[in-house]
Amino acid sequence: MGETFAVKVLSRAAGKKIREGEIVFVEPDYILTHDNSSAIIGKFESTVPEGKVRYPGRLAIVLDHVTPAASSKHAAGHMKIREFVREQGITNFFDIGTGICHQVMPEMGLVMPGSIVVGSDSHTCTYGAFNCFATGIDRTEAAGIWITGRTWFKVPETMNIELTGSFDAGISAKDLILTIIGDVGAGGANYMAVEFNGPAVGGLRISDRMTIANMGIEMGAKIAAFPANIMTSKYFMALDIKIEKAVWSDHDAEYARSLEYDLSDIVPVIACPHQVDNVVPIEEMTGTKIDQVFLGTCTNGRAEDLKSAADILRGEKVHPNVRMIVAPASRKEYLKAIKMGVMQDLIESGAVILPPGCGPCLGAHQGVLAPGEKCLSTANRNFKGRMGEKEAEIYLSSPETAAASAIAGEIKDPREVLR
Amino acid sequence: MTVFHYPQNDINTDLLFPGKYTYTCSTGPEIKEHLLEDLDPAFAGAVQPGDIVVAGENFGCGSSREQPSLGLKYVGVKAVIAKSFARIFYRSAINQGLLLVQSPEAVNYFTEGDEVEVDPAVGKVHVGDRVFGFPPLPDEMLDILKDGGLLDHIKKEYIIGDEA
Ligand code: SF4
């Protein structure tokens, strides 16, 4: 019987043959933390006063969540992190404006195929797009790994998702992953590794894969992974990095569950408040008035996403009753979008551009909602209170739907605009 | 002992601790003020050490933030009994030294007013007049839990161990 991706990666890291359900101790290749590093530093220092990080070269710290600082308390946290970075000699430090951690990690070449990366952020699973075994941990565990360099994993079972066909115009990776989450449910892949296989995988862009892997956690998955292919090689080649450890499941690998999706069957969908798996076809929501549209986040803030929106917004105006907020995922993606002329289109249509970072995604600043307001967002979560106000409603969609709806002032099917 | 019963499934981390406070509240007392704020605003004022939380499926889904598990441990919740837990929350609870009991049978049997007792050593949970078993934690995790959480465990095992 063949082995899955998860079993293979963890076996190699553990240095022995392992089976599903077994507990293994491994040393992750990188440990990502972000603004929450200041709290982690507190835990680190109270556990090992004057202590040194075991492998400073394996830490990656990105300031992205509340940047630039929204209050002096946030600023003090950032200051503490910068001091720690200097004291401990941490080289993989990326200050405000570099971008959202999950965009910056691949850009800096830190999420290599076949490697293991943990992060004190649930969307660390994004790096599965690069054939990386990547998963979220809490702050306490991050502090523990800073000290010891290692952690444990229970070797997960795997869910296989076979993809065939190709998307129709106006439909994209976000519609696919929301559809899957709607079918599987918020806990449907709990503790599992999710693999994406099938003929359609080769046609997905890196940005599409990132959108899909990013939302693995929204169905409970431990990791959500793609095989490395030509697209992956090209990505790392541009960074001057050679792929050496890529690994994938055997053809006869045993899966706990298998699902199939034909991309040509996918239609635009909306995840309605307040659960990500509360997914309905867009017809059921068209006409819902919205107050804000948010285009960005680690799910849909890349140049490709901004372009998909700009192609719809070009020459049109954002509806007078709508604020449209755009936050590019990183400085690199921002520059790419500028070169493509996308930023000009967005600004001319009336969008407000924020610096690269998480922006209003977590409800701390830069576009917090008022009670009773409705926001259509390209983010990955619509939990109650997520955008800072529990009496507000968040609807999730693709960038295409976000753009069409921004013009209409209400939820609108992007296929109608493209026709 | 009070049992706080939240029967719905998929209670997420934003309901347990709103994201807007994640970078300004990280200690027990700071967290307590907002613990379960958007789920049950009365919880933080009412909870006492030794109390128990009973919940549905996929409890703790969403963010990796640890304020929910750290906060529940801080206020003295003895155990969270749920039909199932989200992965990161489960891990985080072990790291904080918070006892989780996965027992859909116990949750289904529970009715308001039932006394609940948990005995982690033998893997038994008493609900009213019934007793339910639950799968014991692997030894590695049990050790962390016994030491009161990951960092205390590291202090004991790793740092002292290294010097010895
Ligand atoms: S963009 Fe949103 S989901 Fe992504 S890392 Fe930032 S806060 Fe988290």
Side-chain angles (χ1 to χ4, degrees), chain A residues 85-121:
Chain A
V85 161
R86 274 193 296 274
E87 283 162 21
Q88 297 279 343
I90 292 158
T91 46
N92 293 312
F93 172 64
F94 308 102
D95 213 322
I96 70 163
T98 316
I100 305 169
C101 54
H102 305 311
Q103 185 62 32
V104 172
M105 288 292 283
E107 284 177 1
M108 299 299 164
L110 305 181
V111 297
M112 292 301 295
S115 69
I116 297 177
V117 174
V118 294
S120 62
D121 189 281

Side-chain angles (χ1 to χ4, degrees), chain B residues 5-74:
Chain B
H5 188 206
Y6 306 113
Q8 62 268 54
N9 295 337
D10 305 316
I11 291 178
N12 63 58
T13 44
D14 279 77
L15 291 173
L16 298 172
F17 186 84
K20 61 186 166 190
Y21 307 124
T22 29
Y23 304 106
T24 47
C25 301
S26 47
T27 64
E30 288 168 341
I31 294 168
K32 186 180 172 182
E33 262 187 66
H34 305 291
L35 196 60
L36 274 56
E37 189 172 277
D38 289 347
L39 176 69
D40 175 8
F43 176 83
V47 65
Q48 295 292 328
D51 288 351
I52 281 176
V53 174
V54 173
E57 275 168 29
N58 201 25
F59 184 83
C61 63
S63 163
S64 68
R65 76 183 63 121
E66 68 184 20
Q67 284 91 341
S69 56
L70 199 158
L72 290 170
K73 169 78 180 170
Y74 172 78

